[in-house]
Coordinates of all heavy atoms in Angstrom, one line a residue:
K26 N -53.0 198.3 -57.6 CA -51.9 198.0 -56.8 C -51.0 197.0 -57.4 O -49.8 197.0 -57.2 CB -52.5 197.4 -55.4 CG -53.3 198.4 -54.6 CD -53.8 197.9 -53.2 CE -52.7 197.8 -52.3 NZ -53.3 197.6 -50.9
R27 N -51.6 196.1 -58.2 CA -50.8 195.1 -58.9 C -49.9 195.8 -60.1 O -48.7 195.6 -60.2 CB -51.5 194.0 -59.7 CG -52.3 193.1 -58.6 CD -51.5 192.7 -57.5 NE -50.2 192.0 -57.8 CZ -49.1 191.7 -57.1 NH1 -49.3 191.9 -55.8 NH2 -48.1 191.2 -57.6
L28 N -50.5 196.8 -60.7 CA -49.7 197.6 -61.7 C -48.7 198.4 -61.2 O -47.7 198.7 -61.8 CB -50.7 198.4 -62.6 CG -51.8 197.6 -63.3 CD1 -52.9 198.6 -64.0 CD2 -51.1 196.8 -64.5
A29 N -49.0 198.9 -59.9 CA -48.0 199.8 -59.2 C -46.9 199.0 -58.6 O -45.9 199.7 -58.2 CB -48.7 200.8 -58.4
S30 N -47.1 197.8 -58.3 CA -46.1 197.0 -57.5 C -44.7 196.9 -58.1 O -44.6 196.5 -59.3 CB -46.7 195.7 -57.1 OG -45.8 194.9 -56.4
G31 N -43.7 197.3 -57.4 CA -42.4 197.0 -57.8 C -41.9 197.9 -58.9 O -40.8 197.6 -59.4
N32 N -42.5 199.1 -59.1 CA -42.0 199.9 -60.2 C -42.3 201.3 -59.8 O -43.1 201.6 -58.9 CB -42.5 199.6 -61.5 CG -44.0 199.8 -61.7 OD1 -44.6 201.0 -61.8 ND2 -44.9 198.8 -61.6
Q33 N -41.8 202.3 -60.6 CA -41.9 203.7 -60.4 C -42.5 204.4 -61.6 O -42.2 205.6 -61.9 CB -40.7 204.4 -59.8 CG -40.3 203.9 -58.5 CD -39.1 204.6 -57.9 OE1 -38.3 205.3 -58.6 NE2 -38.9 204.5 -56.6
D34 N -43.2 203.6 -62.4 CA -43.7 204.0 -63.8 C -44.9 204.9 -63.6 O -45.7 204.8 -62.7 CB -44.0 202.9 -64.6 CG -42.8 202.0 -64.8 OD1 -41.6 202.4 -64.7 OD2 -43.0 200.8 -65.2
T247 N -46.1 206.0 -52.7 CA -46.0 204.5 -52.4 C -46.8 204.1 -51.2 O -47.5 203.1 -51.2 CB -44.5 204.1 -52.4 OG1 -43.9 204.6 -53.5 CG2 -44.4 202.6 -52.2
E250 N -50.5 204.1 -51.9 CA -50.9 202.9 -52.7 C -51.0 201.7 -51.8 O -51.9 200.8 -52.0 CB -49.8 202.7 -53.8 CG -49.9 203.9 -54.9 CD -48.7 203.9 -55.8 OE1 -47.8 203.1 -55.6 OE2 -48.9 204.4 -56.9
R733 N -51.5 206.8 -62.0 CA -50.7 207.7 -61.2 C -49.7 208.5 -62.1 O -49.4 208.0 -63.2 CB -49.9 206.8 -60.2 CG -48.7 206.0 -60.8 CD -47.9 205.4 -59.7 NE -46.7 204.5 -60.2 CZ -46.2 203.6 -59.5 NH1 -46.6 203.3 -58.3 NH2 -45.2 202.9 -60.1

Side-chain angles (χ1 to χ4, degrees):
K26 295 181 76 166
R27 296 311 310 171
L28 294 173
S30 178
N32 66 76
Q33 296 185 339
D34 301 335
T247 303
E250 292 170 341
R733 74 175 176 197

